[in-house]
Amino acid sequence: MVISSFNSYSKSNLDVVKTTTSNKSNLKQFKQNGQIQIYQSSFRGSYSSIIRDSLRNAALGRKVLLVQFMKGGVKQGIENAVKLCGNLTWVRSSHSFDQYDSKEIENNNNLKKSIHESTYKLWNFCKKELLSGENDQIILDEIFLAIKKEIIDKDDLISTLENRFLSGDVILTGTDIPKDLLLMANQITELRS
């Protein structure tokens, strides 16, 4: 079960707090802080509930970015992102590990290089989105597998999360999650079969 907030926390959503000190009234604005949520599972392919919730959130008016690092498809990639519900942008790598047999990848250096470059290009796109504050929710599906395969640097992910625009929620999924990323999370959910 995945619990999700339906409040819109975009950068234009400012709350106003009235404070009173020494017979003076002041109005102060502050922004809602988004959360880092981690969903972990002992096996791949268990995150359909997160994808379902991203569709629901988009239908309710939240701007959602769903990025699948290790899954690809025909004519995928940043240039061919799929738009759903008017608010959901779904992006997959143009060349991914799931499109090929693992032995084929290991035996073909050009194919391996192409997959790594495509995944890294997707990560650079995600970094810009995390820093922009344009999305209410960003889902980085199987990003920990990209770290394990040494395509994405763990310290780069940590630095980006620390410097992200704080209003949107970030959901990270994977199987082998580094401890220092677990410590950053506001919520950790273990999904079981």
Side-chain angles (χ1 to χ4, degrees), residues 128-141:
K128 289 176 188 168
E129 291 296 316
L130 284 162
L131 298 173
S132 76
E134 294 296 320
N135 295 285
D136 297 310
Q137 184 180 63
I138 296 178
I139 301 154
L140 305 177
D141 185 42

Side-chain angles (χ1 to χ4, degrees), residues 21-62:
T21 55
S22 304
N23 296 329
K24 268 187 160 177
S25 239
N26 295 321
L27 295 179
K28 293 184 179 181
Q29 289 187 337
F30 67 96
K31 296 179 182 178
Q32 294 286 341
N33 288 341
Q35 293 189 346
I36 296 176
Q37 302 169 21
I38 292 180
Y39 290 84
Q40 61 183 355
S41 176
S42 58
F43 57 94
R44 291 184 64 204
S46 59
Y47 303 107
S48 58
S49 59
I50 295 166
I51 294 170
R52 180 193 67 228
D53 280 356
S54 68
L55 283 167
R56 184 172 57 225
N57 284 334
L60 290 169
R62 294 185 82 198

Side-chain angles (χ1 to χ4, degrees), residues 31-189:
K31 296 179 182 178
Q32 294 286 341
N33 288 341
Q35 293 189 346
I36 296 176
Q37 302 169 21
I38 292 180
Y39 290 84
Q40 61 183 355
S41 176
S42 58
F43 57 94
R44 291 184 64 204
S46 59
Y47 303 107
S48 58
S49 59
I50 295 166
I51 294 170
R52 180 193 67 228
D53 280 356
S54 68
L55 283 167
R56 184 172 57 225
N57 284 334
L60 290 169
R62 294 185 82 198
K63 188 172 178 188
V64 178
L65 174 64
L66 169 60
V67 179
Q68 291 185 293
F69 283 95
M70 306 314 276
K71 296 202 183 319
V74 178
K75 297 183 181 176
Q76 288 287 307
I78 299 164
E79 300 81 16
N80 297 308
V82 175
K83 301 277 188 181
L84 300 168
C85 302
N87 292 317
L88 176 83
T89 303
W90 190 343
V91 185
R92 289 178 162 184
S93 181
S94 56
H95 290 96
S96 72
F97 283 91
D98 284 357
Q99 292 175 288
Y100 305 95
D101 180 73
S102 60
K103 287 183 182 180
E104 181 183 3
I105 295 168
E106 289 304 316
N107 294 330
N108 185 335
N109 286 335
N110 289 333
L111 179 60
K112 185 175 183 177
K113 181 180 177 186
S114 174
I115 291 170
H116 281 246
E117 286 174 354
S118 176
T119 306
Y120 192 73
K121 181 179 178 183
L122 191 56
W123 168 237
N124 281 328
F125 168 76
C126 290
K127 284 173 36 173
K128 289 176 188 168
E129 291 296 316
L130 284 162
L131 298 173
S132 76
E134 294 296 320
N135 295 285
D136 297 310
Q137 184 180 63
I138 296 178
I139 301 154
L140 305 177
D141 185 42
E142 291 193 309
I143 191 161
F144 300 117
L145 186 54
I147 290 171
K148 184 178 180 182
K149 291 190 175 287
E150 298 179 352
I151 301 170
I152 296 172
D153 181 63
K154 178 185 71 164
D155 293 332
D156 190 18
L157 173 60
I158 289 171
S159 173
T160 303
L161 290 173
E162 289 174 340
N163 294 306
R164 77 191 189 285
F165 193 87
L166 293 175
S167 67
D169 293 333
V170 179
I171 296 175
L172 310 168
T173 72
T175 53
D176 297 317
I177 302 169
K179 185 177 181 179
D180 37 2
L181 280 156
L182 287 171
L183 294 172
M184 290 182 73
N186 300 97
Q187 173 186 325
I188 300 169
T189 303

